[in-house]
Amino acid sequence: MNHVADRLRAGSRNGGRVGVTYKYFGAPDGATAARVPISMRPEELGGDELGMNGMFTKIKPETMAAMVLTGIEGVPLHRVPPLELVVLHPDYAVVKLPMTVVDPLRGIGEEAVGAAAFIWSTVPDRGGPRDAFNVYQLLHEWQDFSHRLHEAGHQPYCLVWP
């Protein structure tokens, strides 16, 4: 199992693997998420895909988890829970994000999103966007995604492929 984690984390030491794409989507359970083929287009993911304009396609799921949990919940980076591997295929992987990565966003307002963006922009030794305004935009997109997941009764997943 360590080689699986190493493969999915390979970019964290070098600032990200070149050409890796991340598609966020919602599914009712892991079995459904595992059946999402890499050829599906965003509109075929039930409208739950995050970043329909491609804004999120290069943000790693562990970075999104840390951004929300550190910026909003105050969780130290080293305490952010790991992602759950749903399926590992030679050409792609599907991971499940903890619900704690989307739930905190549903009940917060504009000021809390701004504060979370500022907090994340100041955290040392982390990956992802560094500019507070870019983080603010990402968190707003993630907040919309959280509402769509909740309304559909879905859990957050990420399709990862080179």
Side-chain angles (χ1 to χ4, degrees):
M1 188 65 145
N2 287 341
H3 69 282
V4 171
D6 290 343
R7 187 171 174 189
L8 291 175
R9 283 194 304 249
S12 64
R13 290 180 294 279
N14 301 328
R17 287 168 52 197
V18 177
V20 175
T21 303
Y22 305 98
K23 293 287 185 183
Y24 295 90
F25 66 97
D29 54 49
T32 303
R35 290 191 302 265
V36 173
I38 61 171
S39 63
M40 285 187 109
R41 292 186 301 277
E43 60 273 11
E44 293 172 328
L45 292 174
D48 274 346
E49 195 214 11
L50 179 62
M52 296 224 181
N53 296 326
M55 190 157 132
F56 275 88
T57 59
K58 297 298 179 188
I59 304 295
K60 296 186 293 188
E62 58 269 27
T63 301
M64 285 307 306
M67 196 180 298
V68 170
L69 294 175
T70 301
I72 295 171
E73 298 289 296
V75 175
L77 271 179
H78 69 278
R79 305 279 298 177
V80 172
L83 306 176
E84 177 185 328
L85 182 65
V86 175
V87 66
L88 179 64
H89 183 276
D91 298 324
Y92 64 92
V94 175
V95 295
K96 179 183 180 203
L97 286 80
M99 287 303 288
T100 55
V101 174
V102 291
D103 284 346
L105 284 162
R106 284 200 320 275
I108 66 170
E110 197 70 27
E111 289 176 4
V113 173
F118 176 76
I119 290 167
W120 181 254
S121 73
T122 64
V123 171
D125 300 326
R126 51 96 174 101
R130 302 201 175 276
D131 179 72
F133 183 71
N134 289 339
V135 173
Y136 174 79
Q137 290 178 311
L138 293 174
L139 288 174
H140 263 296
E141 288 291 326
W142 197 251
Q143 191 174 40
D144 292 342
F145 181 55
S146 173
H147 286 291
R148 289 195 308 273
L149 286 176
H150 183 71
E151 289 167 8
H154 287 178
Q155 299 169 12
Y157 292 89
C158 183
L159 178 62
V160 181
W161 76 97

